[in-house]
Every structure is written in C-alpha cells, then in structure tokens.
Amino acid sequence: EIVMTQSPATLSVSPGERATLSCRTSQSVSSNLAWYQHKPGQAPRLLIYGASTRATGAPARFSGSGSGTEFTLTISSLQSEDFALYYCQQFHNWPLAFGGGTKVEIK
Amino acid sequence: EVQLVESGGGLVQPGGSLRLSCAASGFTFSKSWMSWVRQAPGKGLEWVANIKPDGGEQYYVDSVKGRFTISRDNAKSSLYLQLNSLRAEDTAVYYCARDVVVITAAHYFDYWGQGTLVTVSS
C-alpha cells in the first residue's frame, strides 16, 4: 500500500503571493498523481492529473510538477477563491490513496 | 452539466445499516466507472469502493470489505452504497465520484457530488 505524505499541513499565504504544496509517496507512482481542491460543504474539484496536466476549467495559475515520489502543486498568485484544502491522490496502485491534505489559509 | 447528487445519509446506531444513493446526470452514466469516497471528521479523503460500468466488477478498500456493497442501476443513472454492520469509524461524509480510467487500475476522479453525512453513534 502506497503512503501519501503532504506538507505542510497548513500554509499561510497573502493574496497575490505564490504557494508551493508538496506531496510525497512511499514508492514511485510514475506520473500517476492528481491534485484536488476542496472547500467546506462543496464537492472536491479536480485540478491536475498526470502530475502536470491541468484539468478542464482549472485556472492557469495552478501548475503541477514532479514524478516518481516527489510532486509539487504551485499556485502562482493566490486569489481569494483559492483558500481551501488541497489533496494529492495516487492512481498507480490499488488501493487508490489520498494524502492528508494541505490547508491554504489567508495570512 | 455533470451533476452528482448524494442522499440517504443520517444518524445510525453501531451495527446498523444505511443505503446511500447518488443520482447522476449530464453524462453517459452507463459507460462510466463510479466510486464512493469518504471523509471522516478532521481527516483526509479515503477511497471506499468502485464499480465497473456494467456493474460486473466491484472493488473495495479492505476496511469495508464484507460490510459495504456498491451497486448501480444504469436505467436510473443511479449509484448506491449499502452500508451494513456500521462502526463509529465509518462516520464520514460520503461522496460519489466519476472515475477517469487511464489504464486498468489507474483511476482518478473528474466529477464529485457534494456528499451526504453518515453518523454512527449510540
């Protein structure tokens, strides 16, 4: 079973600043990684799949990078609507697994 | 527009049962793998189960095997999750989601519902 570790648990950022979120997997998942945004009371939203491909409708300020065991989600210039929880998910092996999440909050 | 709307959550005693439903619209449901994903209070997301488009194959996380059953009715564009022998640790918001299948066993989720809360408590 692949273990997913996201860091930091909480990231305090000012609007307009850059945010960098990390996801590490316990073994290689190649590029089989997705990122989701989740706001309380709402449906999670797919942002990135294949480690670096933006999903339909995801703003260009969101970008993903990495392969193997180390991955990064970057939000280039934080907007008010970007303050939320972010999860990574590996789809390389069963069971499908999510990271514990990073909360991006207003500084 | 793709819509997934869950229902059926509620308060149930330990050992009890509940049936969750997910009504799908805006896409060809009968051609889509579908999943249930849950989020316990203060915890991250956990994939629970998924089902092949024709309903012929189902897969579960170990912690729910033998207790939960995923099923679907393609004529009604509906997904179900039967929860039996419920435990306190099953308390969570349950989301239905549409799978994107990259290759066999490589699934991520492109659409999600807003979830339904299941609380297991005496």
Side-chain angles (χ1 to χ4, degrees):
Chain A
E1 181 173 330
I2 295 175
V3 177
M4 314 284 292
T5 304
Q6 288 188 244
S7 61
T10 303
L11 187 60
S12 298
V13 186
S14 299
E17 288 188 340
R18 183 187 192 91
T20 302
L21 290 66
S22 175
C23 177
R24 179 176 295 177
T25 60
S26 60
Q27 61 189 80
S28 176
V29 299
S30 185
S31 294
N32 295 319
L33 190 108
W35 289 94
Y36 303 88
Q37 178 191 68
H38 191 199
K39 298 179 182 178
Q42 296 188 19
R45 175 192 182 189
L46 175 67
L47 294 175
I48 301 286
Y49 61 91
S52 61
T53 303
R54 252 190 321 275
T56 301
R61 61 183 179 273
F62 290 93
S63 63
S65 63
S67 66
T69 63
E70 301 276 349
F71 301 87
T72 300
L73 175 70
T74 301
I75 311 171
S76 59
S77 176
L78 271 156
Q79 307 298 303
S80 57
E81 61 267 30
D82 300 336
F83 293 97
L85 275 160
Y86 292 85
Y87 294 96
C88 58
Q89 178 232 328
Q90 68 84 15
F91 51 95
H92 189 70
N93 278 344
W94 292 102
L96 306 174
F98 293 87
T102 291
K103 180 181 179 182
V104 177
E105 64 176 24
I106 300 175
K107 187 175 182 180
Chain B
E1 179 192 7
V2 171
Q3 285 200 338
L4 297 169
V5 180
E6 302 92 339
S7 61
L11 174 64
V12 60
Q13 292 188 340
S17 298
L18 215 52
R19 189 194 196 204
L20 308 182
S21 300
C22 172
S25 60
F27 65 100
T28 307
F29 181 79
S30 61
K31 293 185 177 181
S32 299
W33 279 81
M34 297 295 297
S35 282
W36 288 98
V37 178
R38 68 184 177 183
Q39 183 174 32
K43 300 290 183 66
L45 298 167
E46 179 185 38
W47 171 80
V48 173
N50 67 359
I51 187 168
K52 199 176 177 182
D54 65 3
E57 295 177 26
Q58 308 88 33
Y59 299 92
Y60 300 90
V61 69
D62 283 350
S63 60
V64 309
K65 281 180 183 175
R67 300 189 300 122
F68 291 8
T69 303
I70 188 171
S71 62
R72 64 193 296 159
D73 184 337
N74 285 343
K76 295 182 178 179
S77 293
S78 291
L79 178 71
Y80 305 102
L81 187 67
Q82 178 68 40
L83 290 68
N84 295 333
S85 302
L86 281 161
R87 306 166 180 167
E89 55 265 35
D90 296 318
T91 293
V93 176
Y94 286 74
Y95 299 94
C96 74
R98 187 177 81 166
D99 289 37
V100 176
V101 182
V102 178
I103 56 172
T104 302
H107 296 219
Y108 60 92
F109 312 105
D110 61 350
Y111 291 101
W112 301 63
Q114 292 195 321
T116 187
L117 176 62
V118 172
T119 303
V120 184
S121 175
S122 54

